[in-house]
Amino acid sequence: MKNAGEAALEKVELSGKRSTPIKSMLGRRETGIVVPALLLFVFFSLFSDSFLTQYNMFNISRNLSFYIFIALGQAVVIAIGGMNLSVGAIGGLSTIAVGHILVNMGLPGSVAITVGLLTGITAGFLNGIIITKLKLNPFIVTLSTSFLFTGLVYGISKGYPYTDIPKSFTYVGRKSFLGFPIVFWMLIIILFALYYLYRHTVLGRRLLATGGNENAARLSGINTDRMIILANVLSGFFASMTGVLYVSRMGSAQPATGQNWMVTSFAVAIIGGTSLDGGIISSIGLFAGGVIMVLIKNGLILMEANVYFEQAFLGMIILFTVSLDSIKDLLKVLKNRNSED
Amino acid sequence: MLILKNITKTFPGTKALDDVCLSFQNGEIHALLGENGAGKSTLINIICGIYPNYEGTVILDDKVLKLRSYQDALETGISIVNQEIQTIPDSTVAENIMLDKLERFQKWGRLNWKELNNKALEYIKMVHLDLEPGVKVGPLSTAQKQLIQIAKALASETPVLLLDEPTSALTEHETATLFTLLRELREKGKNLIFVSHKLDEIFALCDKVSVIRDGRWIGTDKIQNLDREGIIKMMIGRETSDEYLGVLEPDRDTVVLEVKDLFLKNKVNHTSFQLKKGEILGFYGLVGSGRTELAKVLIGEDRYQSGEVFVNGEKVIIRSMSEALKKYGIGYVSENRKEEGLILDFSVETNIGLTIWDKIRGKISRKISRTKEDKIVLPLIDRLKIKIASPQQEVSSLSGGNQQKVSIGKWLAADCDILIVDEPTIGVDIGAKEYIHDLIWDLAKNKGKSIILISSDLPEMLKLSRRIMVFQNQNIMGTLDDLTGEPKNNDEVSLKIGGLMI
């Protein structure tokens, strides 16, 4: 039996699936997103003088970080086969929690951050518990809770922003380290952590297995309810983290924070190769998705294009990425048909 | 007459069909046989227009067919009854039967329900269903849904009718009714192509048999000229081994699992039994008779309302599959590998490794050790003879037999003491089936594992189990103890089981 095992091991090496990194890289899903992101980058560097300036790069990398933070809140739940329509509302709620604690209660920043993050974690937990224990569709659950959270935002803030944020609180959101914004370094660390989680740990593999086929995963001894709750907690955490960072960046806590996150979160997550069927998430893909998003917004301004059309471009790109596989299949069929006739 | 001339079909990397020539006469029931992966499904899909690209020609009544879709096939005169149930639960029986021709019952943009129901009723009667055309399909039994699918194909009134394992969900009685109907259709001159794994059915019904193997045509002959062994030999290219596996000696004093008076409304009706160490206990009965329902309660998927469960003499409450596996070493091979057994888009290695990640992860890094995973999974792939190019291959690209092996392999990796196998050879070819039987036998006989075998395949049951519980309508009708498993006694045991199931 042992010999048979060794023989099988040898076979793996012969088939080469693991031994040639370049080939496996080309075959990967993310490549389809990384290449256009690079091309866009080169395009704007060549055709716009102000693109490669230090000021613009700083701006781009900071916006990029925020887009991806928003997308993470969506991607972690899409990967388990769910969704979270309340990412923006959770972000808004954390923003207001931070503002309320810093300004109205005058407590230190550490308390504000802790409460801000706990708000998101609790909100995500609530979503997860309702979805699993009441066996409800995540669409309807998070749609409902998004109203609930948004209502709390306006109830607590009465629609007014909290503007007297201590200057020390804006350090992380505004300052840089080694030429890049601190938030960008945070992004890199988080993406690495997620890569490790989903690629190498039992927990990550179980999250993906749940997204791949919830029934099969449960009947293989995976506590799928726990996985779904956990993914929603993670989603709430990322949403609230983004909310806290927004306060730090703006120097004020705006009740409107998060209102436009839902579309952004889906756009970057999907362009970044997160499978809407669940089971697939990629750090590299998300990064490239964020790059594409930020370059379109930034590039259009630099090119002095009519920025009012921005959303139309985004819509087209999302449609294009999600239909990429279908287009490939269609082309194949057409090719076969032509060669046959 | 339907003629296939030099049909070759290649998929990336494989030749699914290689120069196949076949002809199907009107007024004949022609059996198409082959193992899983032999090319049967590919051939059927070509005849039905689902694969529009292939080499060679398909000729129906002197006309060369160029089908682009199943819709084309229907219009040309070819229809199919699928193996998988594809009814629409929220539509009525009549709608389901007439789904592809609803526009015929339209008047002034409005559906004429009365006419639709009347027409559908004709076909409902034809398949001996006792149903109103206006009821919804959702709550009906699997057998009823299958009969609705057959009625739907009949309603197309096509000269060519393909039946792909139409009896897999039917009782003996319903099967007999269906066969009478098919014989009537044969008298009317229809061209019937029948696909089944059950050789008894082939002998009872068909006029001619054609066998394909590894994408090639092996032979066609009249049924009178063939016998069981001959057909099997054509299908797998060798003789089957002796059906008798020998004596099983369970440890009769060690009860690993005991159930006392278990009850769950409409699913489990006051059931009690004991499972001994090293035993293969059979749960025999039809789909929906309460076998799978009992298994799902045992693994914690459903909660029982009253009764007691003991594992190794200790009273337990199992709340989920995860508890069943981790605390009590119970595994469950699902009857439905596509929906409950496998993550189709994931690799073979991941699917088999699913149950063992806990045991092979680093303490601090929490990282799954790839080398440890390989050490457990790769020998299993080898031992199960799963045909793959690499362990990283997606499960969805495998044939049914190989998929089932992966689904079982997951539980071999977990090394469970108690294994519940639910229809382990459903939709699996003869070669793989025999292999799975040997595997289950080996687990009980040589590894001391205790197995509950759920099956509606009687020969399989008789071959493996030495104690059989017979299920019907959520009740245990009786238990047959101390079976020898010798083929010469099989007829007698079958009769006894039949007697219990009246």
Side-chain angles (χ1 to χ4, degrees):
Chain A
M1 190 50 68
K2 203 177 173 188
N3 285 336
E6 278 163 12
L9 273 168
E10 270 172 29
K11 248 185 260 161
V12 181
E13 273 155 24
L14 282 177
S15 76
K17 279 264 171 170
R18 277 192 186 170
S19 50
T20 56
I22 296 171
K23 200 177 163 192
S24 76
M25 204 181 79
L26 285 175
R28 282 171 77 147
R29 243 180 112 91
E30 298 93 337
T31 318
I33 313 142
V34 174
V35 172
L38 279 174
L39 287 178
L40 262 183
F41 193 88
V42 173
F43 177 82
F44 284 123
S45 328
L46 291 177
F47 289 95
S48 168
D49 297 332
S50 42
F51 181 72
L52 274 179
T53 57
Q54 203 190 351
Y55 172 76
N56 196 40
M57 279 297 117
F58 182 86
N59 246 337
I60 281 187
S61 56
R62 193 168 63 176
N63 286 343
L64 167 76
S65 308
F66 276 92
Y67 286 143
I68 297 176
F69 289 149
I70 292 169
L72 283 175
Q74 199 61 257
V76 290
V77 273
I78 295 183
I80 53 129
M83 64 178 78
N84 185 359
L85 302 182
S86 66
V87 272
I90 295 175
L93 196 57
S94 297
T95 305
I96 292 311
V98 169
H100 192 76
I101 286 167
L102 287 176
V103 178
N104 289 12
M105 299 170 82
L107 290 169
S110 55
V111 178
I113 292 170
T114 314
V115 174
L117 294 181
L118 278 178
T119 309
I121 289 170
T122 314
F125 184 72
L126 187 72
N127 281 340
I129 283 284
I130 299 174
I131 290 165
T132 53
K133 298 306 166 196
L134 299 182
K135 300 192 195 308
L136 286 172
N137 183 310
F139 177 86
I140 202 69
V141 171
T142 57
L143 183 68
S144 313
T145 55
S146 75
F147 285 106
L148 172 68
F149 301 144
T150 310
L152 289 178
V153 167
Y154 285 100
I156 295 167
S157 69
K158 305 194 175 61
Y160 294 110
Y162 301 84
T163 46
D164 288 335
I165 303 290
K167 193 135 196 271
S168 61
F169 197 81
T170 61
Y171 187 83
V172 172
R174 289 180 174 172
K175 291 286 180 283
S176 63
F177 175 71
L178 295 179
F180 281 102
I182 293 176
V183 286
F184 183 74
W185 292 112
M186 282 180 69
L187 172 73
I188 299 296
I189 292 168
I190 288 173
L191 286 180
F192 263 108
L194 282 183
Y195 166 80
Y196 188 82
L197 171 78
Y198 284 111
R199 180 105 187 125
H200 291 299
T201 71
V202 177
L203 180 64
R205 302 303 296 171
R206 283 196 176 144
L207 286 166
L208 292 181
T210 305
N213 182 345
E214 194 188 326
N215 283 329
R218 190 181 63 251
L219 286 171
S220 301
I222 293 174
N223 190 336
T224 46
D225 280 2
R226 192 185 291 164
M227 294 303 126
I228 293 169
I229 293 170
L230 202 88
N232 277 284
V233 166
L234 215 53
S235 167
F237 169 78
F238 283 124
S240 60
M241 186 191 81
T242 317
V244 174
L245 287 173
Y246 254 100
V247 179
S248 175
R249 176 182 170 175
M250 305 307 230
S252 67
Q254 304 283 345
T257 304
Q259 273 180 357
N260 55 355
W261 286 10
M262 207 248 282
V263 179
T264 310
S265 70
F266 274 107
V268 175
I270 293 167
I271 296 173
T274 319
S275 164
L276 272 177
D277 300 331
I280 300 171
I281 188 171
S282 151
S283 286
I284 301 171
L286 283 170
F287 188 83
V291 169
I292 289 178
M293 183 83 176
V294 82
L295 287 187
I296 288 168
K297 293 210 176 201
N298 184 274
L300 286 177
I301 295 168
L302 291 180
M303 306 271 295
E304 287 161 27
N306 186 347
V307 285
Y308 293 105
F309 282 118
E310 178 200 298
Q311 297 221 353
F313 280 103
L314 264 181
M316 283 195 294
I317 287 177
I318 298 172
L319 258 182
F320 180 71
T321 29
V322 291
S323 51
L324 215 57
D325 284 338
S326 315
I327 293 171
K328 268 187 210 155
D329 288 346
L330 266 178
L331 286 177
K332 212 187 275 171
V333 170
L334 281 176
K335 205 175 140 197
N336 284 345
R337 209 172 271 182
N338 287 338
S339 65
E340 191 185 288
D341 293 337
Chain B
M1 193 161 70
L2 177 71
I3 302 171
L4 308 179
K5 244 183 175 174
N6 310 97
I7 302 287
T8 298
K9 170 84 187 167
T10 35
F11 292 108
T14 48
K15 212 172 211 181
L17 288 175
D18 188 3
D19 205 27
V20 171
C21 299
L22 279 172
S23 66
F24 302 94
Q25 310 274 350
N26 292 357
E28 233 176 42
I29 304 180
H30 194 138
L32 184 59
L33 293 179
E35 294 191 276
N36 279 78
K40 249 176 353 195
S41 321
T42 313
L43 200 64
I44 292 170
N45 283 331
I46 285 175
I47 298 175
C48 290
I50 293 159
Y51 292 156
N53 300 307
Y54 54 86
E55 291 163 46
T57 33
V58 180
I59 301 163
L60 180 65
D61 301 329
D62 303 327
K63 246 176 64 195
V64 176
L65 299 187
K66 274 240 173 248
L67 305 177
R68 290 274 183 236
S69 64
Y70 181 54
Q71 199 57 40
D72 275 3
L74 272 176
E75 281 160 20
T76 322
I78 299 167
S79 60
I80 183 168
V81 177
N82 271 311
Q83 177 186 0
E84 273 148 44
I85 308 281
Q86 291 162 332
T87 49
I88 300 172
D90 289 323
S91 298
T92 67
V93 174
E95 277 177 290
N96 267 286
I97 292 174
M98 295 298 173
L99 200 59
D100 42 12
K101 27 201 163 301
L102 278 180
E103 66 280 358
R104 278 188 217 160
F105 303 95
Q106 202 171 250
K107 236 180 212 168
W108 311 107
R110 192 178 156 274
L111 206 54
N112 186 339
W113 284 97
K114 206 174 152 196
E115 202 184 308
L116 171 72
N117 287 345
N118 283 341
K119 192 74 189 162
L121 195 60
E122 279 177 34
Y123 296 100
I124 294 174
K125 281 185 180 149
M126 211 183 265
V127 293
H128 291 263
L129 264 175
D130 188 20
L131 283 177
E132 288 294 320
V135 299
K136 292 207 169 158
V137 168
L140 301 179
S141 74
T142 319
Q144 284 171 318
K145 285 178 192 163
Q146 179 66 306
L147 289 170
I148 288 169
Q149 291 204 121
I150 293 168
K152 181 181 172 186
L154 292 177
S156 299
E157 298 284 0
T158 54
V160 181
L161 178 60
L162 281 104
L163 300 125
D164 189 2
E165 303 213 33
T167 61
S168 49
L170 302 185
T171 64
E172 240 168 78
H173 179 71
E174 287 156 341
T175 303
T177 321
L178 174 66
F179 284 6
T180 316
L181 174 70
L182 294 179
R183 287 186 194 107
E184 280 168 29
L185 292 174
R186 169 173 62 188
E187 299 315 314
K188 286 183 192 157
K190 295 245 171 167
N191 192 339
L192 300 160
I193 304 170
F194 189 81
V195 178
S196 173
H197 278 125
K198 299 179 184 166
L199 289 183
D200 296 338
E201 291 184 352
I202 308 284
F203 280 103
L205 182 71
C206 300
D207 305 300
K208 250 187 203 167
V209 175
S210 285
V211 176
I212 48 177
R213 184 173 79 221
D214 299 330
R216 289 202 187 87
W217 173 74
I218 299 298
T220 300
D221 209 336
K222 288 195 174 133
I223 195 85
Q224 300 91 291
N225 304 335
L226 291 164
D227 60 5
R228 228 187 141 78
E229 283 66 40
I231 291 180
I232 292 175
K233 203 176 158 188
M234 281 166 86
M235 281 168 70
I236 65 176
R238 59 182 167 84
E239 315 251 358
T240 47
S241 61
D242 191 18
E243 285 281 301
Y244 180 54
L245 289 173
V247 192
L248 193 63
E249 289 155 340
D251 180 352
R252 286 175 195 273
D253 300 328
T254 316
V255 178
V256 290
L257 177 72
E258 181 166 16
V259 166
K260 280 186 187 161
D261 202 30
L262 210 61
F263 178 76
L264 174 60
K265 203 179 170 207
N266 292 333
K267 293 201 166 166
V268 182
N269 195 7
H270 297 287
T271 300
S272 304
F273 71 89
Q274 287 186 338
L275 176 68
K276 311 249 162 65
K277 186 173 160 54
E279 171 178 36
I280 303 177
L281 172 63
F283 284 6
Y284 178 75
L286 298 164
V287 175
S289 62
R291 315 157 310 166
T292 304
E293 290 80 352
L294 176 55
K296 290 258 165 102
V297 168
L298 291 177
I299 58 170
E301 269 283 287
D302 287 318
R303 302 286 173 80
Y304 49 87
Q305 289 165 303
S306 66
E308 291 171 308
V309 178
F310 299 85
V311 176
N312 294 320
E314 196 184 320
K315 188 174 169 185
V316 298
I317 293 168
I318 300 170
R319 291 181 196 84
S320 66
M321 186 70 241
S322 140
E323 259 190 33
L325 171 64
K326 276 164 211 156
K327 280 196 191 160
Y328 309 111
I330 301 175
Y332 172 69
V333 178
S334 169
E335 61 179 331
N336 189 341
R337 59 176 168 264
K338 285 200 172 139
E339 277 167 32
E340 298 184 342
L342 299 166
I343 304 175
L344 289 170
D345 295 337
F346 284 20
S347 72
V348 171
E349 179 156 35
T350 303
N351 269 285
I352 295 182
L354 216 52
T355 51
I356 52 165
W357 287 337
D358 265 336
K359 297 179 197 162
I360 54 169
R361 75 167 158 205
K363 280 212 171 66
I364 298 156
S365 68
R366 317 297 280 175
K367 193 171 164 175
I368 299 173
S369 159
R370 297 278 161 183
T371 39
K372 281 186 192 160
E373 193 177 25
D374 281 351
K375 239 183 201 158
I376 297 177
V377 172
L378 297 185
L380 272 175
I381 292 174
D382 221 39
R383 179 174 151 206
L384 287 164
K385 299 198 173 66
I386 301 170
K387 285 180 204 154
I388 41 171
S390 139
Q392 307 306 317
Q393 195 173 333
E394 268 181 34
V395 171
S396 55
S397 65
L398 303 182
S399 71
N402 281 316
Q403 286 187 352
Q404 185 67 13
K405 286 180 184 173
V406 174
S407 182
I408 294 175
K410 174 169 75 183
W411 295 106
L412 296 184
D415 197 29
C416 304
D417 291 325
I418 301 170
L419 190 59
I420 304 172
V421 280
D422 198 348
E423 299 284 6
T425 59
I426 197 160
V428 160
D429 62 70
I430 291 180
K433 187 171 177 173
E434 228 177 68
Y435 192 77
I436 290 169
H437 287 166
D438 291 345
L439 201 75
I440 293 172
W441 183 260
D442 177 63
L443 283 176
K445 172 101 182 165
N446 303 323
K447 308 233 159 50
K449 309 290 184 194
S450 315
I451 287 161
I452 294 177
L453 170 69
I454 300 176
S455 182
S456 51
D457 181 340
L458 193 53
E460 170 171 288
M461 202 38 101
L462 295 172
K463 182 178 170 189
L464 289 169
S465 292
R466 298 294 177 264
R467 193 154 67 95
I468 298 174
M469 290 164 59
V470 181
F471 283 70
Q472 197 169 34
N473 301 328
Q474 287 72 50
N475 288 312
I476 293 172
M477 310 303 286
T479 304
L480 299 166
D481 287 308
D482 296 318
L483 304 171
T484 62
E486 285 172 273
K488 61 173 186 194
N489 299 332
N490 280 356
D491 290 342
E492 195 192 324
V493 180
S494 310
L495 272 178
K496 272 190 196 161
I497 291 178
L500 289 171
M501 288 180 67
I502 295 162

